[in-house]
């Protein structure tokens, strides 16, 4: 039996705050292999996965290279850069399977957060928790890729 993710929307936002956020959702679909966003591009939207898998990637040195940092599934937030100036993607994201998602306009949600401090605090804390997990995952992945390999030989 698996434990629900502590960063999925249902585990973090109250029913009231989820409802308020979801009232601004638009249903979208991404084909397998579609790019949701690329590092360095403007971050204007974010998504909550309904079905399918989205992989977050970090660019690596060299032409056309990247490393998967984390795979995201149903109920998980895709994208946090919409919340923090300068609103530029810090990672890249690709649909690894066909993906159905809820899409949100970042500017609209920021305005809602400013207008209702309790809602703003709840969404901000949720995104902050997601960001902390993603930072840890990215650090772990980079260590996997670049940490010196030590082999015990006798």
């Amino acid at each position: 039996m698996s434990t629900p993710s502590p960063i999925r929307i249902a585990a973090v936002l109250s029913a009231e705050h989820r409802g308020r956020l979801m009232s601004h959702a638009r249903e979208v679909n991404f084909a397998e292999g579609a790019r949701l966003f690329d590092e360095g591009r403007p971050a204007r939207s974010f998504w909550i996965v309904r079905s399918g898998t989205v992989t977050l990637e970090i660019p690596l040195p060299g032409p056309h290279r990247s490393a998967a940092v984390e795979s995201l599934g149903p109920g998980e937030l895709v994208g946090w850069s919409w919340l923090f100036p300068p609103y530029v993607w810090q990672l890249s994201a690709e649909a690894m399977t066909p993906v159905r998602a809820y899409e949100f306009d970042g500017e609209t949600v920021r305005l809602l957060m400013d207008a209702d401090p309790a809602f703003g605090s709840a969404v901000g804390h949720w995104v902050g928790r997601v960001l902390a997990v993603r930072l840890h995952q990215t650090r772990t992945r980079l260590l996997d890729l670049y940490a010196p390999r030590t082999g015990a030989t006798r």
Side-chain angles (χ1 to χ4, degrees):
M1 184 171 161
S2 65
T3 305
S5 169
I7 60 171
R8 282 193 169 89
I9 187 171
V12 179
L13 293 182
S14 70
E16 176 187 346
H17 290 145
R18 276 194 319 272
R20 180 132 189 234
L21 181 63
M22 295 308 293
S23 72
H24 295 276
R26 180 174 78 94
E27 291 186 20
V28 296
N29 298 305
F30 296 98
E32 182 177 333
R35 304 292 292 175
L36 280 71
F37 53 84
D38 289 300
E39 180 188 36
R41 306 288 301 178
R44 295 186 180 103
S45 300
F46 65 97
W47 301 265
I48 297 173
V49 176
R50 295 173 57 213
S51 66
T53 303
V54 174
T55 297
L56 296 178
E57 303 170 340
I58 187 167
L60 298 175
H64 312 292
R65 292 188 56 210
S66 63
V69 174
E70 188 173 3
S71 292
L72 307 176
E76 292 188 290
L77 174 68
V78 180
W80 52 263
S81 298
W82 60 274
L83 185 55
F84 303 104
Y87 311 117
V88 173
W89 294 117
Q90 301 300 307
L91 298 172
S92 299
E94 180 178 340
M96 297 311 290
T97 67
V99 171
R100 294 178 13 193
Y102 294 112
E103 182 176 62
F104 302 85
D105 177 71
E107 183 177 5
T108 298
V109 174
R110 288 192 308 268
L111 290 171
L112 291 169
M113 292 171 70
D114 290 344
D116 179 348
F119 176 76
S121 177
V123 172
H125 281 95
W126 171 46
V127 175
R129 287 173 100 177
V130 170
L131 183 52
V133 168
R134 303 270 161 80
L135 179 61
H136 176 75
Q137 294 287 52
T138 301
R139 180 180 179 275
T140 300
R141 181 66 175 132
L142 289 174
L143 286 171
D144 287 345
L145 291 170
Y146 292 109
R149 303 284 183 225
T150 58
T153 56
R154 296 182 192 230

